[in-house]
């Protein structure tokens, strides 16, 4: 017998009454893209001269390192695809420099600057790009796979979305160690970076769900540079309800977490949002989705002629370059002098030039290194005709053994 509409309404009301009330999350657009290249003077209270100088140094290091990479690539010192980060430094610096050394960062194929911000030395990163044994992955990772266990830098990933579940795993172990194993010191936070194009793949949504479900100390950082390789964000992603453009940060509340929009060309605003999200994650309140509106000043990679983006669009974002913005703000607000700025820039150039010299003079990996890290147990190479394991054969470690 079919229930009447009045009975159905009564049942639904009862079900709603049985469900625990979920607290409302505050969704805040911290900053929309400004029309002028001016920093909000209200941000002055959140930075000291020491912090401001660290932010400026880190952004300058990222920019000069990437520009040097372009030179070295065209000189034949690097091979494969190289994706530069120039223009987006405020995102890396604003988020990562707000983290602690024991926090984790997971990157993308555009990973050089993320690694530098996390503390991986310029020498190690440049040597890795040169394919040298002194690189952070001993020359086997290259541009898209920078990794450093000692710096809790969980690597770059060639395919979009690959790194988010890895970052989620790091966040899961932090909470597991604290809640299950009773380690009260286990309060590390993980920040996973990815682009606007990634927000249309399954790993993104699966990770949002799991992070919210378990209240993981994870920060989703969307570097929305408006282009997914050669596809405009507006053409690839449907608009959010009630909006004229596709906002990514509004996907956060659908999974029960705050979503924040911030001007990714303003390092102080990015830092302000990052500190809030980090504090929230560390105290056990769960994840945050941050959408940073930013722009890359070069093509998708150094092999990209960059013919799809209009000159006017590029000029608009070039005028909002985050580095001169911060420089002007520091001087205008007494956080640094012109002499301080010049000293920082000099130090950056010395570090970058030293990294090139170090990489160029470093040795190439030995052939036997190709046989390492293939199997967790070297016996995985099999058994030779004489009954011994192949890894025990003379010359195996040097790559000269006869392996059929």
């Amino acid at each position: 017998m079919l229930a009447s509409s009045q009975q159905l309404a009564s049942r639904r009301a009862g079900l709603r009454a049985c469900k625990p009330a979920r607290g409302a999350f505050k969704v805040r657009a911290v900053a929309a893209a400004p029309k002028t290249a001016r920093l909000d003077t209200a941000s002055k209270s959140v930075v000291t001269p020491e912090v401001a100088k660290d932010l400026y140094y880190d952004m300058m290091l990222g920019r000069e390192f990437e520009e040097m990479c372009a030179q070295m690539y065209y000189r034949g010192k690097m091979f494969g695809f190289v994706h530069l980060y120039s223009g987006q430094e405020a995102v890396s610096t604003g988020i990562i420099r707000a983290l602690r050394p024991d926090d984790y960062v997971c990157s993308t194929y555009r990973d050089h600057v993320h690694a530098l911000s996390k503390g991986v030395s310029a020498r190690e990163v440049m040597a890795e790009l040169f394919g040298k044994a002194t690189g952070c992955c001993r020359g086997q990772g290259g541009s898209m796979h920078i990794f450093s266990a000692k710096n809790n830098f969980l690597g770059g990933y060639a395919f979009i979305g690959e790194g988010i579940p890895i970052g989620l795993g790091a966040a899961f172990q932090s909470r597991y160690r604290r809640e299950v194993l009773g380690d009260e010191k286990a309060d590390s936070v993980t920040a996973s970076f990815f682009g606007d194009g990634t927000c249309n793949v399954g790993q993104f949504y699966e990770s949002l769900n799991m992070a919210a479900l378990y209240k993981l100390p994870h920060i989703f950082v969307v570097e929305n540079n408006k282009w997914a390789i050669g596809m405009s964000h507006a053409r690839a992603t449907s608009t959010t309800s009630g909006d004229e453009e596709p906002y990514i940060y509004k996907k956060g509340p659908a999974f029960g977490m705050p979503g924040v929009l911030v001007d990714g060309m303003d390092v102080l605003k990015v830092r302000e949002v990052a500190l809030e999200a980090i504090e929230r994650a560390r105290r056990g309140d769960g994840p945050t989705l941050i959408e940073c509106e930013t722009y890359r000043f070069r093509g998708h990679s150094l092999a990209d002629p960059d013919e799809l983006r209009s000159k006017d669009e590029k000029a608009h974002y070039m005028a909002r370059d985050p580095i001169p913005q911060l420089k002007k703000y520091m001087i205008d607000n007494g956080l640094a002098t012109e002499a301080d700025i010049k000293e920082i820039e000099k130090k950056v150039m010395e570090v970058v030039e030293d990294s090139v010299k170090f990489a160029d003079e470093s040795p190439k990996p030995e052939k036997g290194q190709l046989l390492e890290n293939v199997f967790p147990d070297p016996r995985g190479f099999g058994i030779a005709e004489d009954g011994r394991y192949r890894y025990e054969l003379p010359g195996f470690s040097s790559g000269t053994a006869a392996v059929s």
Side-chain angles (χ1 to χ4, degrees):
M1 182 176 179
L2 294 175
S4 67
S5 59
Q6 189 174 9
Q7 288 174 318
L8 288 172
S10 177
R11 290 177 187 173
R12 292 192 188 107
L15 286 171
R16 284 196 295 269
C18 291
K19 291 181 179 179
R22 173 179 282 184
F25 286 104
K26 182 180 179 183
V27 182
R28 181 165 65 96
V30 174
K35 294 181 180 179
T36 58
R38 295 176 60 189
L39 288 171
D40 184 358
T41 54
S43 298
K44 181 180 179 181
S45 61
V46 301
V47 290
T48 62
E50 292 72 27
V51 168
K53 291 173 185 177
D54 178 72
L55 297 177
Y56 189 75
Y57 173 84
D58 194 64
M59 286 205 294
M60 277 297 301
L61 177 61
R63 178 67 59 84
E64 294 301 329
F65 187 92
E66 294 293 72
E67 294 306 306
M68 182 62 78
C69 284
Q71 292 186 42
M72 296 300 105
Y73 178 85
Y74 293 127
R75 292 182 189 179
K77 297 291 186 178
M78 300 176 189
F79 306 93
F81 288 101
V82 176
H83 308 82
L84 300 187
Y85 197 78
S86 300
Q88 301 182 196
E89 295 88 357
V91 181
S92 179
T93 298
I95 301 285
I96 298 176
R97 299 306 292 174
L99 295 170
R100 296 189 323 216
D102 63 322
D103 290 329
Y104 296 87
V105 167
C106 203
S107 186
T108 68
Y109 47 74
R110 205 179 301 279
D111 56 354
H112 313 160
V113 177
H114 292 157
L116 294 172
S117 293
K118 193 61 177 71
V120 185
S121 74
R123 279 186 164 196
E124 287 181 285
V125 178
M126 189 65 78
E128 186 61 34
L129 295 170
F130 275 46
K132 298 300 184 69
T134 54
C136 54
C137 296
R138 300 190 300 162
Q140 290 182 271
S143 173
M144 293 190 283
H145 302 288
I146 302 297
F147 173 87
S148 176
K150 66 183 178 183
N151 295 103
N152 283 359
F153 188 73
L154 301 177
Y157 297 85
F159 290 94
I160 63 171
E162 276 189 310
I164 307 176
I166 304 298
L168 207 67
F172 182 88
Q173 64 86 25
S174 296
R175 187 169 185 219
Y176 186 88
R177 284 169 52 205
R178 187 178 183 87
E179 300 294 332
V180 179
L181 303 182
D183 183 358
E184 295 183 0
K185 295 181 179 180
D187 64 345
S188 59
V189 173
T190 301
S192 292
F193 292 77
F194 48 97
D196 47 283
T198 300
C199 297
N200 294 323
V201 301
Q203 295 102 315
F204 172 59
Y205 295 98
E206 292 174 27
S207 296
L208 286 176
N209 180 65
M210 183 176 175
L213 185 65
Y214 294 114
K215 296 184 72 173
L216 300 182
H218 187 274
I219 302 171
F220 297 86
V221 184
V222 186
E223 298 184 293
N224 185 357
N225 60 26
K226 305 298 183 180
W227 289 83
I229 306 180
M231 175 63 74
S232 168
H233 177 53
R235 291 184 61 198
T237 307
S238 61
T239 57
T240 42
S241 180
D243 299 315
E244 295 183 356
E245 58 181 286
Y247 289 112
I248 299 169
Y249 77 100
K250 289 191 175 182
K251 301 179 189 295
F255 288 87
M257 71 180 71
V260 183
L261 175 67
V262 66
D263 176 8
M265 305 298 277
D266 183 333
V267 68
L268 298 185
K269 288 177 180 174
V270 174
R271 176 180 168 82
E272 182 181 355
V273 168
L275 289 171
E276 184 178 336
I278 292 167
E279 181 184 357
R280 182 174 184 277
R282 219 180 290 284
R283 66 173 178 253
D285 288 344
T288 301
L289 172 61
I290 301 175
E291 178 181 359
C292 302
E293 290 188 344
T294 186
Y295 202 76
R296 52 175 163 79
F297 290 168
R298 288 179 174 269
H300 173 67
S301 73
L302 288 175
D304 176 13
D306 196 19
E307 297 173 342
L308 297 174
R309 303 184 299 174
S310 71
K311 292 181 179 179
D312 289 343
E313 179 183 290
K314 286 186 274 191
H316 168 73
Y317 284 98
M318 288 280 193
R320 292 172 51 198
D321 190 328
I323 295 178
Q325 281 195 71
L326 180 60
K327 175 182 176 179
K328 183 178 186 305
Y329 178 84
M330 290 169 66
I331 293 173
D332 289 349
N333 290 278
L335 296 172
T337 64
E338 288 282 3
D340 292 331
I341 296 294
K342 289 181 180 178
E343 184 62 30
I344 292 171
E345 293 172 350
K346 178 184 176 183
K347 181 180 178 182
V348 166
M349 292 308 303
E350 290 174 351
V351 169
V352 172
E353 290 174 4
D354 172 73
S355 72
V356 172
K357 184 175 185 294
F358 174 79
D360 203 35
E361 295 176 352
S362 292
K364 294 180 180 179
E366 296 291 334
K367 286 191 297 181
Q369 191 174 306
L370 291 171
L371 300 174
E372 298 178 25
N373 305 315
V374 177
F375 297 102
D377 187 329
R379 290 175 294 185
F381 283 102
I383 300 174
E385 294 179 359
D386 62 2
R388 288 184 294 171
Y389 286 109
R390 291 189 186 277
Y391 80 95
E392 296 177 323
L393 295 178
F396 182 88
S397 61
S398 63
T400 60
V403 179
S404 60

